Amino acid sequence: MQHEAPPTMNAPDPQARLAPPVIPQTPTARPAVPRRLRRVLCLDDFEALARRRLPRPVYGYMAGYAESGAAFDDNRAAFGDYAFLPQVMVDVSRRSTAVRLFGQDYAAPFGFAPLGLTALSTYRGDLVMARAAAQARLPMIMSGSSLIRLEEVAEAHPGAWFQAYLPGDRAAIVKLIDRVARTNFETMVVTVDTPVPPNTENTARSGFSAPLRPSLGLLWQGLTHPRWTFGAFLRTMAQHGMPHFENNYATRGAPILSPSVLRDFSERGHLNWDDLRAIRRQWRGRLIVKGILRADDARTARDAGADGIIVSNHGGRQLDGAIAPLRALPAIVQACPDIPVMLDGGVRRGTDILKAMALGAKMVFVGRPFGYAAAAAGPEGLRHAIGLLTREVSRDMAMLGITDLTQLDARRHLVARTAPAPYPSSATASSPAGTAA
């Protein structure tokens, strides 16, 4: 069942928002690239820059994954299981990367996945990302584990979505939703794959904890990474005070740096579908459920009132060995044809985005690479990252022989599976997801 979302508040002129993006066709049409970013030729290149700039614990948190990293690795590997069947001799001179989702027009088929603690790696990171997404006309999901108050981010990007990590008791959930409802946020993304905290052994090895514990090692990391220390951490302290976890609850949470305070991870293991139904009754905006990997769960979420699904295994951060979102996507699209199904996890290239869309995704979200871009070069890094990925999508569309992304839905034979199908299961669909797309 679908629910009408309220009209967009404080939105720009609709005709301006609906204007198709300008697709650069020649090198001279591209915006100037700062000298320090001229060797950044794809999203993967940002990681090395971020790793050099960030202290080891901060980078370790951003790059971290659960246990052996099997789920993290397979998120990327899954895209290699599909190959394109391009059409040739098609006039693609007037192609557009624009997409329409939930009545909104976006300039490209990708958005910003929620990234926690962005303001630790980048000065005012959540605001930097919100402004970059708004300027580029892209969707952005603000993380509930952010260090900047959600009210500020909602002002910076009124069309952004808010990701909620549900507190452990119903009264606290009600208060959090009431708080979000008082802002410009009209879309709430409820993440459902975090019943307990994950195994943090890899981030612990990097020296990260939440909150961070003052130590000689942490001091050394600050001294040996002065650009981060003065450009992000001390600048934040001087202008805004000690960062806190601001949005897990209706009230402020723990500070990011403390020798004794513990972050308040409330137990969520008892939460169930009745809690989602209660949220649906309370929340009058658009409701998205993130963290679905099974078709039966997707149907239950839809029947409980979800307006959309994000297929995700939390970037490989939660259950190691969980199926890659791309492998789970076709069955979930088949199970819920009446609501938009989206995807995140392992996306690095324009070809990844087009493969996901050919398998039914209506939008694809990018996480770590945009975090690395912001950490490496702030707003300039994000603009360059968005430009690189948008041009890749446009170029790949041309070589695939399409001018509009809706043609991927109508011509599913443009992508074929080249690897064995994943396990057959009634939990995924009535027919295997591994048939040719």
Side-chain angles (χ1 to χ4, degrees), residues 97-99 106-111 138-139 353-354 357 362-365 393 405:
T97 61
V99 293
Y106 297 104
F110 59 87
L138 299 175
I353 294 170
L354 294 184
M357 297 191 76
K362 299 303 182 184
M363 179 66 70
V364 176
F365 290 94
V393 172
L405 290 167

Side-chain angles (χ1 to χ4, degrees), residues 18 30 63 136 222-223 242 254 271-272 356 404:
L18 299 181
R30 298 179 185 177
L223 292 174
M242 176 65 71
L271 296 177
N272 56 63
D404 189 289

